[in-house]
Amino acid sequence: MQAAVEKLRKYRDENYRCHDEVLEIWQKHLSQRNLSSLGDEKWLILEQVLKSALQCNQLDVADKCTEILAKQFKQTSRRISTLYAMSYEARDDYDRADKIYQSLSQDNETDSTVRKRQISILKAQNKIKDAINELNGYLQLYQTDVEAWSELCELYLIEHDYAKAAFCAEELLLINPHNHLNHERYASIRYSQGLYEVARSYYFSAYKINSSNIRTLYGILLTSMNLMNRNLNTTSTTSALNRDENLEYISWAKDKLIEKYKEQSNQELTSIVDISLQNLMTG
Amino acid sequence: MGKKLLLIVGLIALAHAGYSAAQHRVFIRLTEQQFQTLPADIIFQTLLAFLACCIGSVQFFGRFKPILITAEWQNKTWDTLGNRPSFMTFNHRGRYLYRFLQASSST
């Protein structure tokens, strides 16, 4: 039981997205037991299980959890009301959920979780434009909210608005310049825009921070390929120089990739990798 | 447990060294000698106890963190970073996937 509780705590603290596992742990190890020995953590676990149950559409489990939580914290608790509204959301009853959120935000306008939920309702109904507008309003108030910037970036990507998505990715880079995944995301957006030069330099900076990131190596490989192919068409004096430089990058990235795969896996896979790299480079 | 013990022993030894030094001064005064330096064993005990206290307290208050600022993110993947729990929505594949699983497990 201790192991189960610790695992749940890890999932909760580190933002894991494995709701089916949470539910499995709950049903196998915890649901039949008396959890009061855990103290206040019991309520956190119940909330976590409730959200996971909603994600997996196990509404009976979710209802059980809300019942216990509501008994403990009364109906007036804002957090419980939010959970109720979320279970309406899971039943596609967005009007009722929105009504709850609206009354909550009238009581306290500074409640960021409620505003985030209202934005997610818009997203769930596929009103991406409205969600973007709301989220922009939200970010004017809470400029350091990493999660919100990341969400806005994602929404712009859904709309194929790469320039604005890149702006959000830049904000995330500024907030956390030591995270290699932020560099990688920014580079990938620039790559989608066709700005291979910029993309490559950010792939390199991601690689500099974390050399075990395979995606950045592929990024370097592909950006260099694209730059070389682009320069083939223009017959200027610098293109030969560029070509050599790009070829150097390509062979470097390729060697690194093969090296990484050799560290990890057996002979069989490395031959497959070899072939697929060849295909990438000709295509 | 060992760390705690080291810290406690160090503190006691330090207190004892201080007490011995005071005792030595009293002894010097009573025998009307000129005070020059503390005896070597007291100085040695003080230094040793100080070292024990240093090691003990450093060990006692949690683990060391890696000094590289990028180390915190080194093993993170997009799976956890890309997940944004406060913007979760519910009308996704989970609804259909788990309905199907439930039906197949009950039959």
Side-chain angles (χ1 to χ4, degrees), chain B residues 11-98:
Chain B
L11 284 172
I12 290 171
L14 203 60
H16 181 255
Y19 183 71
S20 317
Q23 281 280 313
H24 180 74
R25 298 292 289 259
V26 170
F27 171 75
I28 293 288
R29 190 154 18 100
L30 286 179
T31 52
E32 297 184 343
Q33 293 174 31
Q34 194 66 34
F35 175 75
Q36 275 149 349
T37 52
L38 284 172
D41 64 328
I42 296 182
I43 294 176
F44 184 65
Q45 189 187 343
T46 314
L47 291 178
L48 205 68
F50 175 65
L51 199 70
C53 282
C54 281
I55 296 171
S57 54
V58 163
Q59 299 274 316
F60 185 63
F61 293 103
R63 285 204 197 166
F64 283 113
K65 279 198 165 182
I67 198 165
L68 286 174
I69 197 162
T70 53
E72 189 188 344
W73 302 96
Q74 211 67 277
N75 293 319
K76 290 270 193 300
T77 60
W78 188 245
D79 290 344
T80 53
L81 193 86
N83 184 21
R84 297 173 295 275
S86 45
F87 288 101
M88 53 164 67
T89 52
F90 304 107
N91 57 347
H92 49 64
R93 61 188 169 175
R95 182 170 294 176
Y96 306 98
L97 210 60
Y98 289 99

Side-chain angles (χ1 to χ4, degrees), chain A residues 1 5 26 29-31 33-39 41-42 45-46:
Chain A
M1 174 168 162
V5 171
W26 168 253
H29 303 289
L30 297 175
S31 61
R33 292 177 189 246
N34 184 11
L35 295 177
S36 41
S37 64
L38 293 174
E41 203 182 358
K42 179 186 174 186
I45 288 177
L46 276 170

